[in-house]
Amino acid sequence: MIQVGAAVQPLGITSPVPMSGFAARTEPSTAEHDVLGARALAMDQILLISLDVCALEESTCRAIAEGVRPEAPEQVIVTATHTHAGPCSAPTRLTRCTPEIEQQLIDAATTAGRAAREARQACGVELRVARGVGVAANRRHADRRVDPPVQMLRFTAAGRTSRTDDPAAPSDAATGAREVATLVTYPCHPVVLDGTNRLLSGDYVHPLRERLEAEHPGTVAVFATGCAGDLNTGHRAEASYSLQRSATRTFDEAERVGIRIADAALAGDGRTVTADRVERASAPVTLQIDSPGPEQVAADSASWTRGLAGAEPGQATLLGIWLDWARSLPEGTDWTGRVSAFRLGEVTVVTLPGEPFLAVAEQIDSKIDGPCLVLGYADGCPGYFPTAGEYPYGGYEVEDAHRYYGMPGPFVAGSAEILIQKAVEVCRALG
């Protein structure tokens, strides 16, 4: 058994506040549909914290790690669920947040992390995996069918008796076991809600967690989005430029999607994981940026300026963001982040920065012995990581997203493959 604890702390951010995820949406939130939070899962000395925001910068993640464990910040991994219905959460990327909002995020995550560590108790581990979920779709290639798995780790504390009449500590009638926490991952953009939504929400992630927690009252469900850079529920990324309301991207649909994923996880094939400790390794990774030259920037700026004439409001807002990016062109030719992995028995969990494409997770999984969960959006999100074969197709993720992210340019082709190689090296360092 390993020592496991979990906790939830509300972010405490209320409307009106600028929202992040859709460049064309410039008006602030009007109210809260869900209570957004920081959810922490402590596994021995490792701590995984997931926040209900679109993206976090590396400096914010470091501040959280140092706040929770100043003596060993490297043991803390911080992720964003990547909801596009969350508040602004990055000081220099996407829709910028204020120092006050960033501090609220740090405080909430730090509080949750400390509480999770204090709540640790001996737990057994079970892995459940299911395919055929029928939710994620390749948003760049409609003709390419994908079937990524939903994966769930269940952490269960042994009960002293088999009694089940205590509602504060529900248990399994046969064993007296009580579920303490679950870690669930699925690769699909939390963008069921469209850019016209102005209610703060976790998108489909919120009803997913509610469903899991209703199944085992008292448990804490922690969701970490997988490698979803090219996956959503079936619309092009460019649809985010529009401010036209979609009849199919609603809260009812977000609830349907979340419950479907949760039910698939609950019904998945289960296996007991034998683990008496959690091992961790990490390594820095430096990736090159393909910064456009001044002539290219000038030519693009002229084209965007011409495009403003007659552009519909959402497209005009986007072009304005691109022009602002060109006027204050960010500097830099590379970016450094970190890749981490931890292992519970035969199960390996890999955490990657940014928005990797699904093929990144698939290639890592093919090179690792035993079950492997690959999480994205971890310890910083500087943009997309398409695999090299996607660059000839262009598109938002390859050519345009870096401007909204406030980066000097897109990552060069081959960057995703470097992430894959680094992840495999880190996993092998675990032994």
Side-chain angles (χ1 to χ4, degrees):
M1 294 187 132
I2 60 174
Q3 295 292 315
V4 176
V8 183
Q9 178 66 28
L11 298 184
I13 297 173
T14 56
S15 300
V17 64
M19 301 175 72
S20 191
F22 296 111
R25 181 181 55 198
T26 58
E27 294 183 286
S29 63
T30 57
E32 292 71 53
H33 187 273
D34 313 326
V35 177
L36 304 183
R39 291 169 177 256
L41 176 63
M43 298 161 284
D44 283 353
Q45 300 305 311
I46 305 301
L47 188 64
L48 177 68
I49 304 176
S50 175
L51 281 78
D52 289 326
V53 296
C54 187
L56 295 164
E57 294 189 22
E58 299 76 60
S59 58
T60 307
C61 295
R62 284 195 298 271
I64 292 170
E66 291 168 357
V68 178
R69 296 205 61 191
E71 78 290 358
E74 70 280 357
Q75 302 278 9
V76 182
I77 298 166
V78 184
T79 72
T81 63
H82 201 54
T83 173
H84 283 41
C88 54
S89 55
T92 68
R93 297 176 192 157
L94 304 173
T95 303
R96 297 351 183 216
C97 75
T98 63
E100 291 76 17
I101 289 179
E102 183 187 22
Q103 191 60 52
Q104 282 181 277
L105 298 174
I106 293 170
D107 291 345
T110 300
T111 298
R114 291 173 177 171
R117 282 180 53 77
E118 292 176 359
R120 284 175 296 175
Q121 57 187 301
C123 287
V125 186
E126 180 193 48
L127 172 67
R128 290 191 180 182
V129 180
R131 290 188 182 270
V133 181
V135 168
N138 189 315
R139 70 184 191 180
R140 291 169 55 82
H141 305 282
D143 59 332
R144 296 184 185 176
R145 183 178 180 275
V146 296
D147 183 23
V150 56
Q151 298 162 293
M152 179 171 70
L153 287 170
R154 298 178 65 225
F155 300 96
T156 305
R160 294 181 180 178
T161 71
S162 61
R163 292 182 60 190
T164 60
D165 56 354
D166 181 4
S171 60
D172 181 270
T175 66
R178 180 175 58 83
E179 186 172 285
V180 171
T182 57
L183 171 61
V184 185
T185 183
Y186 184 71
C188 184
H189 256 76
V191 288
V192 175
L193 303 173
D194 64 27
T196 65
N197 169 60
R198 292 173 60 193
L199 299 179
L200 294 178
S201 171
D203 205 272
Y204 76 76
V205 176
H206 178 72
L208 185 159
R209 292 184 307 220
E210 281 196 322
R211 172 71 182 92
L212 295 176
E213 292 173 349
E215 183 74 10
H216 293 280
T219 192
V220 174
V222 178
F223 181 85
T225 306
C227 294
D230 55 344
L231 303 183
N232 63 20
T233 54
H235 53 273
R236 298 280 295 178
E238 287 77 6
S240 298
Y241 301 168
S242 173
L243 291 179
Q244 295 296 316
R245 186 176 300 277
S246 169
T248 60
R249 297 174 66 183
T250 63
F251 281 102
D252 285 344
E253 178 64 8
E255 182 174 9
R256 185 193 71 81
V257 166
I259 292 175
R260 185 182 183 104
I261 298 170
D263 284 345
L266 290 168
D269 294 332
R271 60 191 286 183
T272 299
V273 177
T274 302
D276 56 9
R277 65 183 183 277
V278 182
E279 301 172 330
R280 182 207 63 90
S282 64
V285 60
T286 298
L287 303 172
Q288 301 301 308
I289 294 172
D290 185 13
S291 303
E295 292 183 358
Q296 183 64 54
V297 173
D300 288 341
S301 296
S303 174
W304 300 332
T305 300
R306 291 192 299 271
L308 283 172
E312 61 92 20
Q315 185 70 19
T317 299
L318 184 73
L319 292 174
I321 290 173
W322 290 359
L323 286 167
D324 289 341
W325 170 86
R327 294 186 192 103
S328 57
L329 192 63
E331 298 180 352
T333 58
D334 59 29
W335 171 87
T336 299
R338 78 161 175 165
V339 173
S340 298
F342 57 92
R343 184 167 293 157
L344 310 85
E346 70 271 29
V347 177
T348 303
V349 180
V350 175
T351 65
L352 302 176
E355 302 198 54
F357 278 26
L358 175 63
V360 173
E362 293 176 334
Q363 292 185 43
I364 292 172
D365 179 61
S366 71
K367 300 174 187 296
I368 303 300
D369 292 334
C372 183
L373 288 65
V374 185
L375 318 181
Y377 310 93
D379 294 324
C381 190
Y384 286 87
F385 291 111
T387 48
E390 285 297 316
Y391 278 74
Y393 294 98
Y396 171 77
E397 299 89 347
V398 173
E399 298 174 327
D400 300 326
H402 64 276
R403 302 186 193 105
Y404 185 38
Y405 265 104
M407 296 292 286
F411 289 100
V412 301
S415 295
E417 286 69 24
I418 293 174
L419 277 182
I420 294 168
Q421 179 182 358
K422 184 64 66 173
V424 172
E425 292 174 358
V426 168
C427 289
R428 287 174 179 166
L430 292 172

